[in-house]
Amino acid sequence: MMRRVAYALGDIASRLLPKAHRPWGDAMIAEIGHADADRAALGFAIGCVVAALQARVCDGETRFFAGLWSIALLTAFFAVLRFECAVNGVWVLLGAPDRMEEALLQHGATRSLIASYEAGRPFVILCFLALGCTELAAAWFLSRRDYRRFLCAWCAAFFVAAIAVAIQLSIVWSAPDLPSEFHPLLMQAIAVPALLTWSQIRREHARRMQ
């Protein structure tokens, strides 16, 4: 029984190893078969799993893909926030209280400013919907390693974000303390390509070191 568990752990260790170290997996399984005692084979197999995990964590290819998925998940998270804001905007159009309008009134906004805000609200909602869609597309293309389409989706997202920010600033430019849903947009547009570039450079460096 212990020998079977040892072989199962050896197979797991072999699958965990990076592609460049896959021959080590065959050697591990062969070594398990040459162990004199079942307990020794099990102990060796456990050590193989630990070594395989360490090799996987230190592997440059693994870190690169982990970086891509981290960026994709972050992008998808922001997309969900955009959709949430759009849904809240629709509820406001249907008669729900508008916290932004209340904040404007508390800051002494004029009637013309409130009228401009109400006129621009549907366009902002459409921008949120478009931004959420483009960010979801960017996350999907990035997870599929389709970098060209990812770049196109991000350019579209940045364009929509610029329109949304321009609409907001044209209305509430004189109220800098108001909460804004658009503050992360510029940071996201800069940070995501920068992280992707960093991951690619690290990947190329790891390949040259092999």
Side-chain angles (χ1 to χ4, degrees), residues 102-191:
E102 293 174 358
L104 286 170
L105 292 173
Q106 290 177 359
H107 283 79
T110 62
R111 291 185 178 180
S112 60
L113 181 61
I114 296 298
S116 298
Y117 170 74
E118 292 178 349
R121 183 188 295 148
F123 298 101
V124 173
I125 294 173
L126 290 176
C127 286
F128 272 127
L129 289 174
L131 190 57
C133 291
T134 52
E135 287 180 342
L136 274 184
W140 171 255
F141 292 138
L142 185 60
S143 67
R144 305 298 295 178
R145 288 178 286 168
D146 191 342
Y147 304 122
R148 181 175 299 178
R149 292 183 179 179
F150 166 75
L151 181 60
C152 292
W154 257 110
C155 289
F158 186 79
F159 177 73
V160 175
I163 295 176
V165 171
I167 294 173
Q168 184 200 31
L169 293 180
S170 67
I171 298 172
V172 296
W173 184 272
S174 60
D177 295 332
L178 289 176
S180 174
E181 300 293 340
F182 298 106
H183 290 163
L185 296 179
L186 184 58
M187 177 274 297
Q188 186 181 5
I190 295 174

Side-chain angles (χ1 to χ4, degrees), residues 3-17 22 24-30 32 41 44-46 48-49 52 56:
R3 182 76 64 163
R4 291 182 180 179
V5 174
Y7 275 117
L9 291 175
D11 184 64
I12 292 174
S14 179
R15 295 176 184 274
L16 285 174
L17 285 170
R22 287 295 167 82
W24 294 4
D26 297 334
M28 289 176 178
I29 295 176
I32 292 173
F44 178 78
I46 293 174
C48 290
V49 173
R56 174 61 71 176

Side-chain angles (χ1 to χ4, degrees), residues 18-98:
K19 291 182 180 180
H21 299 155
R22 287 295 167 82
W24 294 4
D26 297 334
M28 289 176 178
I29 295 176
E31 190 66 25
I32 292 173
H34 288 93
D36 295 332
D38 292 347
R39 181 170 296 181
L42 181 60
F44 178 78
I46 293 174
C48 290
V49 173
V50 174
L53 286 172
Q54 291 176 344
R56 174 61 71 176
V57 170
C58 296
D59 180 58
E61 191 82 4
T62 300
R63 291 182 177 181
F64 173 74
F65 288 123
L68 288 184
W69 275 98
S70 298
I71 298 171
L73 290 175
L74 178 63
T75 306
F77 172 75
F78 276 111
V80 172
L81 293 181
R82 310 308 176 207
F83 289 132
E84 181 183 4
C85 292
V87 171
N88 291 336
V90 172
W91 280 114
V92 169
L93 291 178
L94 295 177
D98 189 348

